[in-house]
Amino acid sequence: MHLLLLSLLIIAAGGIVPVLLLRFFPLAKCSAAILTTLGCLIGLYSILTATHFPFSISWEWLHCCALTFTFDSLSRIFLVPIFLISPLAAWYGVGYFSQPEKSLRVAVNYFFFALLIVAMVLLPAADNMLSFALTWETISLASYFLVMYDYHKESTRNAGYLYFLFTQSGALFIFAAFGVIFSFTGNLDFAGTATLPEGVKLVVFSLAFVGFASKAGVFPLHFWLPHAHPAAPSHISAIMSGVMIKMGIYGILRLYFLLAPSSLAIGQAVLVFGMLSGVLGILYALSKNDLKRLLAYCSVENIGIILIGVGMGMIGIALADPVVTIFAMTGALLHVLNHALFKPLLFLGAGAVLQQCGNGRIDQLGGLMKRMPTTGKTFLLGSAAISGLPPLNGFISEFLIYFAAFHALGHSHTIFILAMLAILSLVVIGGLASFCFTKVVGMVFLGEARTPEATAAGPVSLPMTIPMTILAGCCLLIGIFPTTCINFVHLGLADYLFFDASVTAQLTSVGNNLAIGCRLFLLLLALLLCIRRLFYHNKTVTQGPTWGCGFTGGTPRIQYTGTSYVRTVVSIFRPFVLLKESKIRLQAIFPSRTTYCNHVSDIAEEVSNRGLALPLLWVLGKLRWIQHGNIQLYIGYILLTILAVLLTLLI
Amino acid sequence: MIHFAEIVLVLILLSILLSLASNRLLALVKIMALQGIAVSILPLLLEHYRTMGSGGLIFFQMMLLIKGVLIPGLLYFALKKISIHREIEPIIGYHASLFVGLLIILLAVSITDALGNAIPTGNALLLTTAITAFFAGLFLMMSRRKAITQVIGYLMLENGIYLIGTALTQHSHISYVVEFGVLLDLLVGVMVMGIILNNINHAFDDIDTDNLNRLRD
């Protein structure tokens, strides 16, 4: 198993070499990408062929702190997306970073990129609090520097600061949870956590949940995502959204299995948070006009779906219902994998659009399908996948969660209601997600270009299109061969759950049925396309301007905009979305020029702004006189502090 | 039998009080030289320092050189260059400062008393002097405006810390290493401060630290 360590070494080298090759810009980029690819392939090979799980690596550090890493079946599932997405993102970066004068910045970016990958590989394996804390902090800091790539822009600095605030205060909550565990077990190992009293387990889990949720982007703690993702370079957003925020999910799962609490409350709470983030996430996504901001909110939605699965699974464990447990957990884990495929795909597509058009405002783009065919088609595929449509991968994982939820309907009262709510929210999420992505694809890739920038766009370079194509292929593959993937993900639970043979057989049969369904669907699609081709075989096809409709005086500006497309749906959910809009009033028979603008603010952001940030600023503003700049008084502060400490110690 | 150590301690205490009451900067520098010398020879007169290797001797010689000659010399030249001789308008007046100095001695005695058995035998007076020097140094920095007095207060603070170390620990070689490091830091600090003093003087025609208040955000 030293292959895995070798792969980490190569990835780390991929971070250092570009810094050394600073003067040779293309060489620096390519060397980073090649080394990352090599390292990740070795890592992927080593975890896929590993036979004896779990295995540990451990070394003493500073003679007192043992750093222990144990790779078990669950960490294996979380390692696959890391090793899969990272090389693609690295290659995408080769095409995306195109200005040689920024070579230092790019090299530093690759350095932190490598650091992030190494830390993310080690985090799921961390076996004591110390190694967990170390890798967790490394992930936070490395990703902070990655977000700050465009540090000269004020919006980027603000976004980075917000992210830093969230990730550090989240870490504090996690460390507080560790502190509680430590005060009971007396050592830094995770091993004794299952022996804690039941009430303490609840405290530990809720403390750590706050920390993990702030990383994962669960509803009330999610609003760093829509700021940080637009600020970061696109492939960094892809890594962060596709892989990094899953570390929060991993933390929740891992801690839950370690604590092994018997109470139902934890599962129910996780389920409720999942439903909240799912529905509200997609709602906010719908109302956003910035492409990457929209995708960021969409990540919140997908984390919600994953948490619905995780919560159902926890309820299943507490009720000792193996069908609910296995189906929900497998569905959640598969969705982790799936989201790690289609979300990076969408972010990479958004990055390509951004690079060609210079901005990501949906209402200013349009008609890009003809100008960027590969990007457009892969984006369309990713959109279909994220909306949970067959025959793609999103459908498979959501189906498993649906299956578990329907099975949970058989239980009494509270569970029945919760399962019903989970099904309903999954339905709402699915519907709104399709609506949301018809908006994106329709406004960005179809129709006519709305601005000169969009008209001037052209296809992006090969290092950028190939990763997108590979990711789109993966989405389709999981959809067509679901049984293999379901079984692979299912094995991830092997170290933590007891497998019932009949449930495993049921899972396989459901997988097989899904496979037949998806393949039939694909066949039907192909058949329809063939029939269409056949019908149009001998006919002349004339191509006019899109939405021309024989009307010759039209301009691109009379097209539907994203805002108008979603306005009705958004206003239905008005209590949750805080929609502010200027009313259109048409006066007189020949109305003068009218304008309309709307702004949707995030309820969590608004509440924490008004309830926390502003009062805090007010209080701190009142304390500003302490900072008067007078050296003598500063020394006086020191003197008083020393005196106070000495006298309280002595008296 | 005369206790030389106690005489030196009294000398240090007197120098502290004198520095609190003096308004001439040149006199202040001279007092600091005297205090530096007293502080560096004090450990040699203590009981448990009798057996000492050549390393220890070299250390004390170096300390005498730096605290007694080099640092006061540097300050002296800095003063000559900026030609400012008096501390005008101290924040706390000279008589009041003297009174505060007496209060500090009282406080130091009470702290030493409270520590009681924790300190090695025979070091009670030493600890009292050390704490006095420490707080008087801080007080000097707090109550004066000129940058050079700040430096002198800081030196006195460092003397106090060194004496506290001597009072609380038994003789060991490791403390020399730490002290020597601190001493070099101090020397470099004073050199840098000399340069900064010169520059502040150039910029503002004065070395009043009130000019630095503008630097706050």
Side-chain angles (χ1 to χ4, degrees):
Chain A
M1 241 326 151
H2 295 292
L3 264 182
L4 196 59
L5 291 183
L6 177 73
S7 81
L8 287 184
L9 221 70
I10 296 176
I11 295 171
I16 296 167
V17 168
V19 180
L20 299 177
L21 291 178
L22 207 57
R23 290 175 189 283
F24 314 99
F25 184 59
L27 194 64
K29 288 191 299 184
C30 287
S31 66
I34 289 170
L35 283 172
T36 311
T37 312
L38 190 65
C40 287
L41 284 180
I42 293 175
L44 206 58
Y45 172 79
S46 79
I47 55 165
L48 288 182
T49 57
T51 45
H52 49 288
F53 271 103
F55 74 96
S56 315
I57 317 161
S58 143
W59 69 89
E60 286 282 313
W61 187 48
L62 294 178
H63 298 294
C64 59
C65 322
L67 291 181
T68 318
F69 295 97
T70 304
F71 292 87
D72 59 11
S73 63
L74 185 64
S75 43
R76 183 172 151 185
I77 301 299
F78 281 84
L79 289 187
V80 171
I82 301 174
F83 284 135
L84 208 64
I85 308 302
S86 306
L88 298 179
W91 277 112
Y92 185 88
V94 172
Y96 192 74
F97 292 134
S98 50
Q99 294 150 297
E101 67 271 12
K102 286 186 181 170
S103 101
L104 175 65
R105 219 190 279 188
V106 170
V108 170
N109 196 272
Y110 271 116
F111 173 76
F112 284 112
F113 183 70
L115 194 66
L116 178 68
I117 301 172
V118 171
M120 284 200 300
V121 170
L122 287 177
L123 179 87
D127 205 22
N128 61 16
M129 296 175 196
L130 206 67
S131 32
F132 194 95
L134 191 72
T135 43
W136 185 267
E137 280 295 280
T138 314
I139 288 177
S140 301
L141 292 179
S143 51
Y144 167 73
F145 284 110
L146 288 175
V147 170
M148 293 290 264
Y149 174 75
D150 273 325
Y151 58 85
H152 60 275
K153 284 188 202 156
E154 178 151 17
S155 62
T156 306
R157 286 200 300 273
N158 288 343
Y161 183 69
L162 188 69
Y163 172 53
F164 191 74
L165 218 63
F166 263 85
T167 184
Q168 291 303 311
S169 40
L172 278 185
F173 276 97
I174 295 172
F175 298 159
F178 285 176
V180 175
I181 295 176
F182 182 82
S183 68
F184 276 86
T185 62
N187 62 36
L188 287 170
D189 286 334
F190 282 141
T193 36
T195 60
L196 294 180
E198 202 61 34
V200 178
K201 281 181 185 173
L202 269 180
V203 173
V204 169
F205 189 83
S206 18
L207 275 177
F209 185 77
V210 173
F212 292 134
S214 74
K215 176 69 93 186
V218 181
F219 168 62
L221 301 169
H222 66 282
F223 55 88
W224 62 269
L225 280 160
H227 291 277
H229 282 314
S234 288
H235 60 290
I236 300 302
S237 316
I239 281 282
M240 282 174 67
S241 179
V243 188
M244 192 193 75
I245 61 173
K246 305 298 163 25
M247 294 297 140
I249 300 290
Y250 170 78
I252 293 171
L253 273 176
R254 180 73 195 273
L255 194 73
Y256 181 79
F257 286 133
L258 280 175
L259 290 170
S262 58
S263 91
L264 210 57
I266 289 181
Q268 290 171 344
V270 171
L271 184 60
V272 169
F273 274 112
M275 294 190 284
L276 268 181
S277 4
V279 176
L280 289 182
I282 194 63
L283 212 57
Y284 288 127
L286 204 60
S287 58
K288 289 299 161 195
N289 270 327
D290 186 276
L291 191 50
K292 284 177 84 178
R293 185 157 292 186
L294 183 146
L295 291 177
Y297 272 115
C298 189
S299 294
V300 177
E301 170 237 323
N302 277 282
I303 287 293
I305 295 178
I306 294 169
L307 278 191
I308 290 177
V310 170
M312 284 312 297
M314 289 173 178
I315 290 176
I317 292 173
L319 292 174
D321 184 334
V323 179
V324 175
T325 312
I326 295 293
F327 272 84
M329 283 287 181
T330 311
L333 282 184
L334 189 61
H335 203 76
V336 166
L337 195 64
N338 287 341
H339 185 241
L341 291 173
F342 47 63
K343 187 42 71 69
L345 168 59
L346 294 176
F347 264 119
L348 297 188
V353 171
L354 220 61
Q355 196 198 33
Q356 288 302 313
C357 304
N359 84 39
R361 299 201 59 79
I362 291 174
D363 288 345
Q364 294 176 10
L365 302 169
L368 292 180
M369 188 66 96
K370 289 175 214 151
R371 299 183 179 87
M372 313 165 75
T374 321
T375 310
K377 278 168 193 154
T378 51
F379 197 96
L380 178 63
L381 200 92
S383 303
I386 206 168
S387 313
L389 300 179
L392 297 162
N393 57 355
F395 172 67
I396 309 292
S397 47
E398 286 187 34
F399 186 86
L400 291 180
I401 299 174
Y402 269 121
F403 193 96
F406 272 108
H407 202 272
L409 287 179
H411 291 280
S412 58
H413 314 309
T414 335
I415 305 301
F416 176 82
I417 293 170
L418 277 176
M420 203 67 224
L421 278 176
I423 293 169
L424 285 180
S425 49
L426 277 175
V427 170
V428 171
I429 291 168
L432 288 181
S434 324
F435 191 67
C436 176
F437 280 94
T438 49
K439 165 185 160 179
V440 176
V441 175
M443 299 303 147
V444 175
F445 290 101
L446 303 180
E448 280 290 318
R450 291 177 174 81
T451 51
E453 289 84 20
T455 319
V460 288
S461 60
L462 221 51
M464 290 167 79
T465 49
I466 289 176
M468 291 191 258
T469 319
I470 293 176
L471 284 172
C474 286
C475 287
L476 198 60
L477 266 184
I478 292 187
I480 302 173
F481 301 101
T483 323
T484 331
C485 303
I486 291 175
N487 285 336
F488 173 73
V489 172
H490 177 59
L491 282 181
L493 298 162
D495 287 351
Y496 294 98
L497 294 176
F498 171 72
F499 284 164
D500 199 333
S502 65
V503 179
T504 313
Q506 200 179 355
L507 193 68
T508 315
S509 75
V510 167
N512 283 333
N513 289 341
L514 277 176
I516 293 171
C518 284
R519 283 168 206 170
L520 270 181
F521 191 90
L522 196 69
L523 210 69
L524 212 65
L525 201 70
L527 208 68
L528 278 175
L529 282 178
C530 282
I531 291 172
R532 184 180 184 274
R533 175 80 42 102
L534 213 69
F535 270 108
Y536 282 92
H537 186 54
N538 281 329
K539 294 174 181 161
T540 49
V541 179
T542 52
Q543 286 199 331
T546 317
W547 298 114
C549 304
F551 178 62
T552 49
T555 71
R557 291 194 54 195
I558 65 169
Q559 294 177 94
Y560 239 105
T561 62
T563 315
S564 51
Y565 183 67
V566 299
R567 184 173 169 267
T568 332
V569 176
V570 170
S571 54
I572 291 173
F573 292 92
R574 206 180 266 268
F576 301 103
V577 290
L578 304 178
L579 177 68
K580 277 181 215 144
E581 52 183 0
S582 64
K583 286 269 176 279
I584 316 165
R585 286 199 188 81
L586 294 181
Q587 282 157 343
I589 299 167
F590 297 103
S592 57
R593 203 183 171 90
T594 56
T595 53
Y596 169 81
C597 68
N598 75 354
H599 180 73
V600 173
S601 39
D602 188 329
I603 193 163
E605 194 172 348
E606 203 70 6
V607 165
S608 68
N609 242 349
R610 291 211 194 120
L612 189 71
L614 289 179
L616 204 64
L617 274 180
W618 183 80
V619 170
L620 293 179
K622 293 283 168 204
L623 291 177
R624 255 192 110 68
W625 55 268
I626 293 177
Q627 293 288 347
H628 39 66
N630 189 329
I631 294 172
Q632 278 81 8
L633 272 179
Y634 285 139
I635 296 167
Y637 293 161
I638 299 174
L639 194 68
L640 281 181
T641 315
I642 293 175
L643 269 179
V645 170
L646 267 180
L647 293 181
T648 47
L649 282 181
L650 294 177
I651 293 166
Chain B
M1 161 103 196
I2 305 166
H3 288 283
F4 283 106
E6 285 175 10
I7 292 173
V8 174
L9 284 180
V10 170
L11 216 61
I12 294 172
L13 269 184
L14 282 179
S15 72
I16 291 167
L17 291 179
L18 205 57
S19 66
L20 286 178
S22 81
N23 63 350
R24 284 168 197 278
L25 294 177
L26 218 54
L28 215 50
V29 172
K30 282 175 190 159
I31 295 167
M32 277 322 292
L34 177 72
Q35 198 186 74
I37 292 168
V39 165
S40 10
I41 62 167
L42 180 74
L44 296 172
L45 304 172
L46 291 176
E47 201 62 43
H48 53 260
Y49 279 84
R50 285 284 154 77
T51 54
M52 191 183 333
S54 56
L57 271 180
I58 290 174
F59 168 72
F60 283 110
Q61 282 169 3
M62 290 294 288
M63 196 157 94
L64 197 70
L65 197 71
I66 293 175
K67 279 195 171 163
V69 182
L70 263 178
I71 292 177
L74 279 170
L75 289 177
Y76 181 79
F77 283 116
L79 265 184
K80 281 280 163 204
K81 213 166 182 181
I82 57 184
S83 63
I84 288 174
H85 304 295
R86 276 167 182 271
E87 173 80 49
I88 308 159
E89 293 174 34
I91 294 170
I92 298 171
Y94 301 109
H95 294 105
S97 300
L98 206 54
F99 184 66
V100 171
L102 293 176
L103 285 184
I104 288 174
I105 294 177
L106 262 179
L107 180 81
V109 171
S110 74
I111 289 175
T112 315
D113 266 1
L115 278 174
N117 294 331
I119 43 177
T121 46
N123 279 2
L125 278 180
L126 177 55
L127 189 65
T128 311
T129 319
I131 294 172
T132 311
F134 177 81
F135 280 114
L138 271 177
F139 177 74
L140 201 64
M141 288 166 82
M142 218 184 95
S143 61
R144 303 289 190 267
R145 287 185 205 275
K146 297 285 180 226
I148 196 118
T149 335
Q150 311 280 316
V151 179
I152 286 170
Y154 181 68
L155 286 175
M156 203 190 287
L157 176 80
E158 213 287 321
N159 282 342
I161 292 172
Y162 172 69
L163 285 181
I164 291 174
T166 320
L168 293 183
T169 57
Q170 296 290 350
H171 159 235
S172 78
H173 286 284
I174 295 170
S175 69
Y176 292 157
V177 178
V178 177
E179 277 301 327
F180 204 67
V182 175
L183 206 60
L184 283 180
D185 281 353
L186 201 64
L187 185 65
V188 173
V190 171
M191 281 166 137
V192 172
M193 198 62 203
I195 297 165
I196 291 176
L197 275 182
N198 224 341
N199 284 334
I200 294 177
N201 200 33
H202 268 294
F204 298 115
D205 285 329
D206 197 359
I207 51 169
D208 203 322
T209 50
D210 286 352
N211 292 321
L212 298 177
N213 285 10
R214 273 185 250 156
L215 290 178
R216 72 165 180 208
D217 60 10

